[in-house]
Amino acid sequence: VQTVVHDPLVDPEEAYEHYGIQLAATEEVEDFDALILAVPHHYYIDDYAYQLIDQMKKGSVIVDVKSALDPKRCAKHHYWSL
């Protein structure tokens, strides 16, 4: 399992220094089987998340922790939210 963490609002150096997390650049976020949307930044909700979802393999898993996505737009995948 390869985990990729992406957050456009966090300074990558600070994330690594404080938490030991290597953040991926936007162009590195592709070709994955699962998406966990933990923080619903407008960056993701406005359109980017759906671009990612469209790139996912059919039947992939989407975990929407804050119920921020439109489940109808995730219909080709296994969608779960709180």
Side-chain angles (χ1 to χ4, degrees):
V1 174
Q2 180 181 358
T3 303
V4 176
V5 179
H6 179 261
D7 190 330
L9 303 180
V10 174
D11 180 315
E13 291 178 19
E14 190 174 319
Y16 188 76
E17 181 180 315
H18 291 285
Y19 306 106
I21 296 173
Q22 182 79 34
L23 294 179
T26 300
E27 57 274 2
E28 295 177 297
V29 182
E30 61 182 18
D31 193 32
F32 50 95
D33 299 308
L35 171 68
I36 300 172
L37 183 65
V39 182
H41 296 313
H42 286 288
Y43 178 87
Y44 291 112
I45 304 309
D46 289 344
D47 197 42
Y48 183 64
Y50 299 109
Q51 291 176 20
L52 293 175
I53 290 166
D54 289 343
Q55 294 176 15
M56 296 173 73
K57 298 173 189 170
K58 185 177 178 180
S60 296
V61 176
I62 300 169
V63 178
D64 182 7
V65 176
K66 302 288 186 174
S67 300
L69 298 173
D70 178 357
K72 293 176 185 173
R73 292 187 68 183
C74 304
K76 295 180 183 177
H77 308 287
H78 300 285
Y79 176 80
W80 181 88
S81 67
L82 291 177

Coordinates of all heavy atoms in Angstrom, one line a residue:
V1 N 0.9 -1.2 0.0 CA 0.0 0.0 0.0 C 0.9 1.2 0.0 O 1.8 1.4 0.8 CB -0.9 0.0 1.2 CG1 -1.7 1.3 1.3 CG2 -1.8 -1.2 1.2
Q2 N 0.6 2.1 -0.9 CA 1.3 3.4 -1.0 C 0.3 4.5 -0.6 O -0.7 4.6 -1.2 CB 1.9 3.6 -2.4 CG 2.6 4.9 -2.5 CD 3.2 5.2 -3.9 OE1 3.0 4.4 -4.8 NE2 3.8 6.3 -4.0
T3 N 0.6 5.3 0.4 CA -0.2 6.3 0.8 C 0.3 7.7 0.3 O 1.5 7.9 0.4 CB -0.3 6.3 2.4 OG1 -0.7 5.1 2.8 CG2 -1.2 7.4 2.9
V4 N -0.6 8.5 -0.2 CA -0.2 9.8 -0.7 C -1.0 10.8 0.1 O -2.3 10.7 0.2 CB -0.5 10.0 -2.2 CG1 -0.2 11.4 -2.6 CG2 0.3 9.0 -2.9
V5 N -0.4 11.8 0.7 CA -1.1 12.9 1.5 C -1.0 14.2 0.7 O 0.1 14.6 0.3 CB -0.5 13.1 2.9 CG1 -1.2 14.2 3.6 CG2 -0.6 11.7 3.6
H6 N -2.1 14.8 0.5 CA -2.1 16.1 -0.3 C -2.9 17.1 0.5 O -4.1 16.8 0.9 CB -2.7 15.9 -1.7 CG -2.8 17.1 -2.5 ND1 -3.9 17.8 -2.6 CD2 -1.8 17.7 -3.2 CE1 -3.7 18.8 -3.4 NE2 -2.4 18.8 -3.8
D7 N -2.4 18.3 0.7 CA -3.2 19.4 1.3 C -2.6 20.7 0.7 O -1.5 21.1 1.1 CB -3.1 19.4 2.8 CG -4.0 20.4 3.4 OD1 -4.3 21.4 2.8 OD2 -4.5 20.1 4.6
P8 N -3.3 21.4 -0.2 CA -2.8 22.6 -0.8 C -2.6 23.8 0.1 O -2.0 24.7 -0.2 CB -3.8 22.9 -1.9 CG -5.1 22.3 -1.4 CD -4.7 21.1 -0.6
L9 N -3.2 23.7 1.3 CA -3.2 24.8 2.3 C -2.1 24.7 3.3 O -1.9 25.5 4.2 CB -4.5 24.9 2.9 CG -5.7 25.1 2.0 CD1 -7.0 25.3 2.8 CD2 -5.5 26.3 1.1
V10 N -1.3 23.6 3.3 CA -0.3 23.3 4.3 C 1.1 23.5 3.7 O 1.3 23.0 2.5 CB -0.5 21.9 4.9 CG1 0.7 21.6 5.8 CG2 -1.8 21.8 5.6
D11 N 2.0 24.1 4.4 CA 3.4 24.2 3.9 C 4.0 22.8 4.0 O 4.1 22.2 5.1 CB 4.1 25.2 4.8 CG 5.5 25.4 4.5 OD1 6.2 24.4 4.2 OD2 6.0 26.6 4.5
P12 N 4.5 22.3 2.9 CA 5.1 21.0 2.9 C 6.3 20.8 3.9 O 6.4 19.8 4.5 CB 5.6 20.8 1.5 CG 4.8 21.7 0.7 CD 4.5 22.9 1.6
E13 N 7.1 21.8 4.0 CA 8.3 21.7 4.9 C 7.8 21.7 6.4 O 8.3 20.9 7.2 CB 9.2 22.9 4.7 CG 9.9 22.9 3.4 CD 10.8 24.1 3.2 OE1 11.2 24.8 4.2 OE2 11.2 24.4 2.1
E14 N 6.7 22.5 6.7 CA 6.2 22.5 8.1 C 5.5 21.1 8.4 O 5.7 20.6 9.5 CB 5.2 23.6 8.2 CG 4.7 23.8 9.6 CD 3.8 25.1 9.7 OE1 4.1 26.1 9.1 OE2 2.8 25.0 10.5
A15 N 4.8 20.5 7.4 CA 4.2 19.2 7.6 C 5.2 18.2 7.9 O 5.0 17.3 8.8 CB 3.3 18.9 6.4
Y16 N 6.3 18.2 7.2 CA 7.4 17.2 7.4 C 8.1 17.5 8.7 O 8.3 16.5 9.5 CB 8.4 17.2 6.3 CG 9.4 16.1 6.4 CD1 9.0 14.8 6.0 CD2 10.6 16.3 6.8 CE1 9.8 13.8 6.2 CE2 11.5 15.3 7.0 CZ 11.1 14.0 6.6 OH 12.0 13.0 6.8
E17 N 8.4 18.7 9.0 CA 9.1 19.1 10.3 C 8.3 18.7 11.5 O 8.8 18.1 12.5 CB 9.4 20.6 10.3 CG 10.2 21.0 11.5 CD 10.5 22.5 11.5 OE1 10.9 23.0 10.4 OE2 10.3 23.2 12.5
H18 N 7.0 19.0 11.5 CA 6.2 18.8 12.7 C 5.6 17.4 12.8 O 5.4 16.9 13.9 CB 5.1 19.9 12.8 CG 5.6 21.2 13.1 ND1 6.0 21.7 14.3 CD2 5.7 22.3 12.2 CE1 6.4 22.9 14.2 NE2 6.3 23.3 13.0
Y19 N 5.2 16.8 11.7 CA 4.5 15.6 11.7 C 5.2 14.4 11.0 O 4.7 13.3 11.0 CB 3.1 15.8 11.1 CG 2.3 16.9 11.8 CD1 2.2 18.1 11.1 CD2 1.8 16.7 13.0 CE1 1.5 19.1 11.7 CE2 1.1 17.8 13.7 CZ 1.0 19.0 13.0 OH 0.3 20.0 13.6
G20 N 6.3 14.7 10.3 CA 7.0 13.7 9.6 C 6.2 13.2 8.3 O 6.4 12.1 7.9
I21 N 5.3 14.0 7.8 CA 4.5 13.7 6.7 C 5.0 14.4 5.4 O 5.2 15.6 5.4 CB 3.0 14.1 6.9 CG1 2.4 13.4 8.1 CG2 2.2 13.9 5.6 CD1 1.0 13.9 8.5
Q22 N 5.3 13.6 4.4 CA 5.7 14.1 3.1 C 4.5 14.4 2.3 O 3.7 13.5 1.9 CB 6.6 13.1 2.4 CG 7.2 13.5 1.1 CD 8.4 14.4 1.3 OE1 9.1 14.3 2.2 NE2 8.5 15.4 0.4
L23 N 4.2 15.7 2.0 CA 3.0 16.0 1.2 C 3.3 15.9 -0.3 O 4.4 16.2 -0.8 CB 2.6 17.4 1.5 CG 2.1 17.7 2.9 CD1 1.7 19.2 3.0 CD2 0.9 16.9 3.2
A24 N 2.4 15.4 -1.0 CA 2.5 15.2 -2.5 C 2.0 16.5 -3.2 O 1.1 17.2 -2.7 CB 1.6 14.1 -3.0
A25 N 2.7 16.9 -4.2 CA 2.3 18.0 -5.1 C 1.0 17.6 -5.8 O 0.8 16.4 -6.0 CB 3.4 18.4 -6.0
T26 N 0.2 18.6 -6.2 CA -1.0 18.3 -7.0 C -0.8 17.4 -8.1 O -1.6 16.4 -8.4 CB -1.7 19.6 -7.4 OG1 -1.9 20.4 -6.3 CG2 -2.9 19.4 -8.2
E27 N 0.2 17.6 -8.9 CA 0.5 16.7 -10.1 C 0.9 15.3 -9.8 O 0.8 14.4 -10.6 CB 1.5 17.4 -11.0 CG 2.8 17.6 -10.4 CD 3.0 19.0 -9.7 OE1 2.0 19.8 -9.6 OE2 4.0 19.3 -9.2
E28 N 1.2 15.0 -8.5 CA 1.5 13.7 -8.1 C 0.3 12.9 -7.6 O 0.4 11.7 -7.4 CB 2.5 13.7 -6.9 CG 3.9 14.3 -7.3 CD 4.8 14.4 -6.1 OE1 4.4 15.1 -5.2 OE2 5.8 13.7 -6.1
V29 N -0.8 13.5 -7.5 CA -2.0 12.9 -7.0 C -2.8 12.3 -8.2 O -3.6 13.0 -8.9 CB -2.9 13.8 -6.2 CG1 -4.1 13.1 -5.7 CG2 -2.1 14.5 -5.1
E30 N -2.5 11.0 -8.5 CA -3.2 10.4 -9.6 C -3.1 8.9 -9.5 O -2.3 8.4 -8.7 CB -2.6 10.8 -11.0 CG -1.1 10.5 -11.1 CD -0.5 11.0 -12.4 OE1 -1.1 11.8 -13.0 OE2 0.6 10.5 -12.7
D31 N -3.9 8.2 -10.3 CA -3.8 6.7 -10.4 C -3.9 6.0 -9.0 O -3.0 5.4 -8.5 CB -2.6 6.3 -11.1 CG -2.6 4.8 -11.5 OD1 -3.7 4.3 -11.8 OD2 -1.5 4.2 -11.5
F32 N -5.1 6.1 -8.4 CA -5.2 5.5 -7.0 C -6.5 4.8 -6.9 O -7.4 4.9 -7.7 CB -5.1 6.6 -6.0 CG -6.0 7.8 -6.2 CD1 -7.3 7.9 -5.6 CD2 -5.6 8.8 -7.0 CE1 -8.1 9.0 -5.9 CE2 -6.4 9.9 -7.3 CZ -7.6 10.0 -6.7
D33 N -6.6 3.9 -5.9 CA -7.8 3.0 -5.7 C -8.7 3.5 -4.6 O -9.8 3.0 -4.5 CB -7.3 1.6 -5.3 CG -6.4 1.0 -6.4 OD1 -6.9 1.0 -7.6 OD2 -5.3 0.6 -6.1
A34 N -8.3 4.5 -3.8 CA -9.1 5.0 -2.7 C -8.8 6.4 -2.5 O -7.7 6.9 -2.7 CB -8.8 4.2 -1.4
L35 N -9.8 7.1 -2.0 CA -9.7 8.6 -1.7 C -10.3 8.8 -0.3 O -11.5 8.4 -0.1 CB -10.4 9.4 -2.7 CG -10.6 10.9 -2.4 CD1 -9.3 11.6 -2.4 CD2 -11.6 11.5 -3.4
I36 N -9.6 9.4 0.6 CA -10.1 9.7 1.9 C -10.1 11.3 1.9 O -9.1 11.9 1.9 CB -9.3 9.2 3.0 CG1 -9.3 7.7 3.0 CG2 -9.9 9.7 4.4 CD1 -8.4 7.0 4.0
L37 N -11.3 11.9 1.9 CA -11.4 13.3 2.0 C -11.7 13.6 3.5 O -12.8 13.5 3.9 CB -12.6 13.8 1.1 CG -12.7 15.3 1.1 CD1 -11.5 16.0 0.4 CD2 -14.0 15.7 0.3
A38 N -10.7 14.0 4.2 CA -10.8 14.3 5.6 C -11.1 15.7 6.0 O -11.8 16.0 7.0 CB -9.5 13.8 6.3
V39 N -10.6 16.6 5.2 CA -10.9 18.1 5.4 C -11.5 18.7 4.1 O -10.8 18.7 3.1 CB -9.6 18.8 5.8 CG1 -9.8 20.2 6.1 CG2 -8.9 18.1 7.0
P40 N -12.7 19.2 4.2 CA -13.3 19.7 3.0 C -13.0 21.1 2.6 O -13.8 22.0 2.6 CB -14.8 19.6 3.3 CG -14.9 19.8 4.8 CD -13.6 19.2 5.3
H41 N -11.7 21.3 2.3 CA -11.3 22.6 1.8 C -12.1 22.9 0.5 O -12.3 22.0 -0.3 CB -9.8 22.6 1.4 CG -8.9 22.4 2.6 ND1 -9.0 23.0 3.8 CD2 -7.8 21.5 2.7 CE1 -8.0 22.6 4.6 NE2 -7.3 21.7 4.0
H42 N -12.4 24.2 0.3 CA -13.1 24.6 -0.9 C -12.3 24.2 -2.2 O -12.8 23.9 -3.2 CB -13.3 26.1 -0.9 CG -14.4 26.5 0.0 ND1 -15.7 26.2 -0.3 CD2 -14.4 27.1 1.2 CE1 -16.5 26.6 0.7 NE2 -15.7 27.2 1.6
Y43 N -11.0 24.1 -2.0 CA -10.1 23.7 -3.1 C -10.6 22.3 -3.7 O -10.6 22.1 -4.9 CB -8.7 23.6 -2.7 CG -7.7 23.1 -3.7 CD1 -7.1 24.0 -4.6 CD2 -7.3 21.8 -3.8 CE1 -6.1 23.6 -5.5 CE2 -6.4 21.3 -4.7 CZ -5.8 22.3 -5.6 OH -4.9 21.8 -6.5
Y44 N -10.9 21.4 -2.8 CA -11.4 20.1 -3.2 C -12.8 20.1 -3.6 O -13.2 19.5 -4.6 CB -11.1 19.1 -2.1 CG -9.7 18.8 -1.8 CD1 -9.1 19.2 -0.6 CD2 -8.9 18.1 -2.7 CE1 -7.8 18.9 -0.3 CE2 -7.6 17.9 -2.4 CZ -7.1 18.3 -1.2 OH -5.7 18.0 -1.0
I45 N -13.7 20.7 -2.8 CA -15.1 20.5 -3.0 C -15.6 21.3 -4.2 O -16.5 20.8 -4.9 CB -15.8 21.1 -1.7 CG1 -15.4 20.3 -0.5 CG2 -17.4 20.9 -1.9 CD1 -15.4 18.8 -0.6
D46 N -15.0 22.4 -4.6 CA -15.4 23.2 -5.7 C -15.3 22.4 -7.0 O -16.2 22.5 -7.9 CB -14.6 24.5 -5.8 CG -15.0 25.5 -4.7 OD1 -16.1 25.3 -4.1 OD2 -14.3 26.4 -4.5
D47 N -14.3 21.6 -7.2 CA -14.2 20.8 -8.4 C -13.1 19.8 -8.4 O -13.2 18.7 -9.0 CB -14.0 21.8 -9.6 CG -14.3 21.1 -11.0 OD1 -15.3 20.4 -11.0 OD2 -13.5 21.3 -11.9
Y48 N -12.0 20.1 -7.7 CA -10.8 19.2 -7.8 C -11.1 17.8 -7.4 O -10.7 16.8 -8.0 CB -9.7 19.8 -7.0 CG -8.4 19.0 -7.1 CD1 -7.7 18.9 -8.3 CD2 -7.9 18.4 -6.0 CE1 -6.6 18.1 -8.4 CE2 -6.7 17.6 -6.0 CZ -6.1 17.5 -7.2 OH -4.9 16.8 -7.3
A49 N -11.9 17.6 -6.3 CA -12.2 16.3 -5.8 C -12.9 15.4 -6.9 O -12.6 14.3 -7.1 CB -13.1 16.3 -4.6
Y50 N -13.8 16.1 -7.7 CA -14.5 15.4 -8.7 C -13.6 15.0 -9.9 O -13.8 14.0 -10.6 CB -15.7 16.1 -9.2 CG -16.7 16.3 -8.0 CD1 -16.9 17.6 -7.4 CD2 -17.4 15.2 -7.5 CE1 -17.7 17.7 -6.4 CE2 -18.2 15.4 -6.4 CZ -18.4 16.6 -5.9 OH -19.3 16.8 -4.8
Q51 N -12.6 15.8 -10.1 CA -11.6 15.5 -11.1 C -10.8 14.3 -10.7 O -10.6 13.4 -11.5 CB -10.6 16.7 -11.3 CG -11.2 17.9 -12.0 CD -10.2 19.0 -12.1 OE1 -9.0 18.8 -12.0 NE2 -10.7 20.2 -12.3
L52 N -10.5 14.2 -9.4 CA -9.8 13.0 -8.9 C -10.7 11.8 -9.0 O -10.2 10.7 -9.4 CB -9.4 13.2 -7.4 CG -8.3 14.3 -7.2 CD1 -8.1 14.4 -5.7 CD2 -7.0 13.9 -7.8
I53 N -11.9 12.0 -8.6 CA -12.9 10.8 -8.7 C -13.0 10.3 -10.1 O -13.1 9.1 -10.3 CB -14.2 11.3 -8.0 CG1 -14.0 11.5 -6.5 CG2 -15.3 10.3 -8.3 CD1 -15.2 12.2 -5.9
D54 N -13.1 11.2 -11.0 CA -13.2 10.7 -12.4 C -12.0 9.9 -12.9 O -12.1 9.1 -13.8 CB -13.4 12.0 -13.4 CG -14.8 12.6 -13.2 OD1 -15.7 11.9 -12.7 OD2 -14.9 13.8 -13.6
Q55 N -10.8 10.2 -12.3 CA -9.6 9.4 -12.6 C -9.5 8.1 -12.0 O -8.7 7.2 -12.4 CB -8.4 10.2 -12.3 CG -8.2 11.5 -13.0 CD -7.0 12.3 -12.5 OE1 -6.2 11.8 -11.8 NE2 -7.0 13.6 -12.9
M56 N -10.3 7.8 -10.9 CA -10.3 6.6 -10.2 C -10.8 5.4 -11.0 O -11.7 5.6 -11.8 CB -11.0 6.7 -8.9 CG -10.5 7.8 -7.9 SD -11.5 8.1 -6.5 CE -11.2 6.6 -5.5
K57 N -10.3 4.2 -10.7 CA -10.8 3.0 -11.3 C -12.3 2.8 -10.8 O -12.6 3.1 -9.7 CB -10.0 1.8 -10.9 CG -8.5 1.9 -11.3 CD -7.7 0.8 -10.7 CE -6.2 1.0 -10.9 NZ -5.4 0.1 -10.2
K58 N -13.1 2.3 -11.7 CA -14.5 2.0 -11.3 C -14.5 1.0 -10.2 O -13.7 0.0 -10.1 CB -15.2 1.3 -12.5 CG -16.7 1.1 -12.3 CD -17.4 0.6 -13.5 CE -18.8 0.3 -13.2 NZ -19.5 -0.2 -14.3
G59 N -15.3 1.3 -9.2 CA -15.4 0.4 -8.0 C -14.4 0.8 -6.9 O -14.3 0.1 -5.9
S60 N -13.7 1.9 -7.1 CA -12.7 2.3 -6.0 C -13.5 2.8 -4.8 O -14.7 3.0 -4.8 CB -11.9 3.5 -6.5 OG -11.1 3.0 -7.6
V61 N -12.8 3.1 -3.7 CA -13.4 3.5 -2.4 C -13.2 5.0 -2.2 O -12.1 5.5 -2.3 CB -12.8 2.7 -1.3 CG1 -13.4 3.1 0.1 CG2 -13.1 1.2 -1.5
I62 N -14.3 5.6 -1.8 CA -14.3 7.0 -1.4 C -14.8 7.1 0.0 O -15.9 6.7 0.3 CB -15.1 7.9 -2.4 CG1 -14.7 7.8 -3.8 CG2 -15.1 9.4 -1.9 CD1 -15.6 8.4 -4.8
V63 N -14.0 7.7 0.9 CA -14.4 7.9 2.3 C -14.5 9.4 2.4 O -13.5 10.1 2.4 CB -13.4 7.3 3.3 CG1 -13.8 7.7 4.7 CG2 -13.3 5.8 3.1
D64 N -15.7 9.9 2.6 CA -16.0 11.4 2.7 C -16.3 11.7 4.2 O -17.4 11.6 4.6 CB -17.1 11.7 1.8 CG -17.5 13.2 1.8 OD1 -16.8 14.0 2.4 OD2 -18.6 13.5 1.2
V65 N -15.3 12.0 5.0 CA -15.4 12.1 6.4 C -16.4 13.1 6.9 O -17.1 12.9 7.8 CB -14.0 12.3 7.1 CG1 -14.1 12.5 8.6 CG2 -13.1 11.2 6.8
K66 N -16.4 14.2 6.2 CA -17.3 15.4 6.6 C -18.6 15.4 5.7 O -19.3 16.4 5.8 CB -16.6 16.7 6.4 CG -15.3 16.8 7.3 CD -15.7 16.9 8.7 CE -14.4 17.1 9.5 NZ -14.7 17.4 10.9
S67 N -18.9 14.4 4.9 CA -20.1 14.4 4.0 C -20.1 15.7 3.1 O -21.2 16.3 3.0 CB -21.3 14.3 4.9 OG -21.3 13.1 5.6
A68 N -19.0 16.0 2.5 CA -18.9 17.3 1.8 C -19.2 17.0 0.3 O -19.5 18.0 -0.4 CB -17.6 17.9 1.9
L69 N -19.1 15.8 -0.2 CA -19.2 15.5 -1.6 C -20.7 15.2 -1.9 O -21.5 14.8 -1.1 CB -18.4 14.4 -2.0 CG -16.9 14.5 -1.9 CD1 -16.1 13.2 -2.2 CD2 -16.4 15.7 -2.8
D70 N -21.0 15.3 -3.2 CA -22.3 14.9 -3.7 C -22.3 13.4 -4.0 O -21.6 13.0 -4.9 CB -22.7 15.7 -5.0 CG -24.0 15.3 -5.6 OD1 -24.7 14.4 -5.1 OD2 -24.4 15.9 -6.6
P71 N -23.0 12.6 -3.2 CA -22.9 11.1 -3.5 C -23.3 10.7 -4.9 O -22.8 9.7 -5.4 CB -23.9 10.5 -2.5 CG -24.0 11.6 -1.4 CD -23.8 12.9 -2.1
K72 N -24.2 11.4 -5.5 CA -24.5 11.1 -6.9 C -23.4 11.2 -7.9 O -23.3 10.5 -8.9 CB -25.7 12.0 -7.4 CG -27.0 11.8 -6.6 CD -28.0 12.8 -7.1 CE -29.3 12.7 -6.2 NZ -30.2 13.7 -6.5
R73 N -22.4 12.1 -7.6 CA -21.3 12.3 -8.4 C -20.2 11.2 -8.2 O -19.2 11.2 -8.8 CB -20.7 13.7 -8.3 CG -21.6 14.7 -8.9 CD -21.1 16.1 -8.9 NE -20.0 16.2 -9.9 CZ -19.3 17.3 -10.0 NH1 -19.6 18.4 -9.3 NH2 -18.3 17.4 -10.9
C74 N -20.5 10.4 -7.2 CA -19.5 9.3 -6.8 C -20.1 7.9 -7.1 O -19.6 6.9 -6.6 CB -19.2 9.4 -5.3 SG -18.6 11.0 -4.8
A75 N -21.1 7.9 -7.9 CA -21.9 6.7 -8.1 C -21.2 5.5 -8.6 O -21.6 4.3 -8.4 CB -23.2 7.0 -8.9
K76 N -20.1 5.7 -9.4 CA -19.3 4.6 -10.0 C -18.4 3.9 -9.0 O -17.7 2.9 -9.3 CB -18.5 5.1 -11.1 CG -19.3 5.6 -12.3 CD -18.4 6.1 -13.4 CE -19.2 6.7 -14.5 NZ -18.3 7.2 -15.6
H77 N -18.4 4.4 -7.7 CA -17.5 3.9 -6.7 C -18.2 3.5 -5.4 O -19.4 3.8 -5.3 CB -16.5 5.0 -6.4 CG -15.8 5.6 -7.6 ND1 -14.9 4.8 -8.4 CD2 -16.0 6.7 -8.3 CE1 -14.5 5.5 -9.4 NE2 -15.1 6.7 -9.4
H78 N -17.5 2.9 -4.5 CA -18.1 2.6 -3.2 C -17.9 3.9 -2.3 O -16.8 4.2 -1.9 CB -17.3 1.4 -2.6 CG -17.4 0.2 -3.4 ND1 -18.5 -0.6 -3.5 CD2 -16.5 -0.4 -4.3 CE1 -18.3 -1.6 -4.3 NE2 -17.1 -1.5 -4.8
Y79 N -19.0 4.6 -2.1 CA -19.0 5.8 -1.4 C -19.4 5.6 0.1 O -20.4 4.9 0.3 CB -19.9 6.8 -2.1 CG -20.0 8.1 -1.3 CD1 -19.1 9.1 -1.5 CD2 -21.1 8.4 -0.6 CE1 -19.2 10.3 -0.8 CE2 -21.3 9.6 0.1 CZ -20.3 10.6 0.0 OH -20.4 11.8 0.6
W80 N -18.7 6.2 1.0 CA -19.0 6.1 2.4 C -18.8 7.5 3.1 O -17.8 8.2 2.8 CB -18.1 5.1 3.1 CG -18.4 4.9 4.6 CD1 -19.3 4.1 5.1 CD2 -17.8 5.6 5.7 NE1 -19.3 4.2 6.5 CE2 -18.4 5.1 6.8 CE3 -16.8 6.6 5.7 CZ2 -18.0 5.6 8.1 CZ3 -16.4 7.0 7.0 CH2 -17.1 6.5 8.1
S81 N -19.7 7.9 3.9 CA -19.6 9.2 4.6 C -20.2 9.0 6.0 O -21.0 8.1 6.3 CB -20.3 10.3 3.8 OG -21.7 10.1 3.8
L82 N -19.8 10.0 6.8 CA -20.4 10.0 8.2 C -21.7 10.8 8.2 O -22.0 11.6 7.3 CB -19.4 10.8 9.1 CG -18.1 10.0 9.5 CD1 -17.2 10.9 10.3 CD2 -18.4 8.7 10.1

